[in-house]
């Protein structure tokens, strides 16, 4: 009987853990749209949609880097006019790589931006094509890991880092 009771307790605990995960996932809001404006990325968003060609440089403030947090930034229109600058909150930093390629370039021209974990701002320069994206995920508090692919119209249009 004791073994059956222990098994039942384990089953109940595992079901509670699954329920907690499902509730946490439901709390995510889905898509946050940042058009032609400055913005702060919400804590519980899954996707950030850049759906307007910004008429001026736009600072995008990141949420605090808390382990387990993640989202994807996606360009649904061409960013032909101005920059978007991802800026860390507080003392958080970025690390990772953004791969850059040139649209319709059969020669395979491209570049990459290697991001050391001391970087606090990533400026995505103008001329980013539709479908470009950057994934941000946090595996340790205070540090955003970054993997992305940006498609540009010209060689050398890679993000600048500060």
């Amino acid at each position: 009987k004791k073994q059956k009771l222990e098994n039942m307790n384990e089953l109940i605990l595992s079901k509670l853990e699954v329920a907690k995960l499902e509730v946490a996932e439901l709390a995510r809001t889905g898509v946050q749209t940042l058009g032609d404006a400055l913005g702060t990325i919400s804590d519980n968003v899954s996707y950030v949609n850049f759906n307007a060609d910004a008429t001026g440089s736009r600072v995008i403030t990141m949420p605090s880097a808390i382990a387990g947090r993640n989202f994807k930034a996606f360009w649904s229109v061409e960013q032909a006019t101005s920059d978007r600058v991802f800026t860390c909150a507080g003392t958080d930093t970025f690390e990772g790589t953004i791969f850059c390629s040139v649209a319709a370039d059969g020669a395979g021209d491209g570049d990459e931006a290697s991001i050391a974990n001391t970087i606090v701002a990533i400026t995505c320069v103008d001329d980013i094509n539709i479908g470009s994206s950057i994934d941000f995920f946090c595996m340790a508090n205070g540090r955003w890991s970054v993997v992305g692919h940006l498609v540009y119209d010209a060689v050398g249009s890679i993000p600048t880092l500060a």
Side-chain angles (χ1 to χ4, degrees):
K1 273 191 159 185
K2 184 177 181 182
Q3 182 63 39
K4 285 184 179 181
L5 185 57
E6 286 176 11
N7 289 344
M8 177 139 349
N9 285 339
E10 285 179 30
L11 179 63
I12 291 169
L13 288 174
S14 68
K15 287 188 178 246
L16 287 173
E17 288 301 314
V18 169
K20 277 197 254 180
L21 290 173
E22 289 173 353
V23 168
E25 191 60 32
L26 288 173
R28 294 174 66 99
T29 61
V31 179
Q32 179 179 357
T33 299
L34 293 174
D36 187 12
L38 304 173
T40 298
I41 297 171
S42 298
D43 291 340
N44 58 347
V45 70
S46 300
Y47 299 96
V48 174
N49 178 23
F50 297 123
N51 68 343
D53 181 19
T55 56
S57 187
R58 300 294 181 237
V59 174
I60 308 301
T61 304
M62 299 288 291
S64 295
I66 297 172
R69 187 171 281 169
N70 64 83
F71 68 93
K72 178 185 281 279
F74 184 84
W75 280 260
S76 61
V77 299
E78 183 177 0
Q79 178 182 306
T81 307
S82 296
D83 305 338
R84 294 206 188 257
V85 184
F86 293 94
T87 305
C88 283
T91 59
D92 295 348
T93 59
F94 293 114
E95 66 181 9
T97 302
I98 299 174
F99 299 95
C100 305
S101 57
V102 178
D105 186 343
D109 289 333
D111 211 336
E112 48 88 20
S114 293
I115 305 164
N117 67 358
T118 57
I119 299 301
V120 296
I122 300 171
T123 301
C124 295
V125 298
D126 60 6
D127 206 16
I128 297 176
N129 287 341
I130 296 170
S132 294
S133 65
I134 302 174
D135 289 295
F136 296 89
F137 54 97
C138 181
M139 296 189 309
N141 289 344
R143 199 170 64 234
W144 283 106
S145 296
V146 179
V147 176
H149 183 212
L150 302 178
V151 179
Y152 289 99
D153 287 333
V155 174
S157 297
I158 67 170
T160 58
L161 310 171

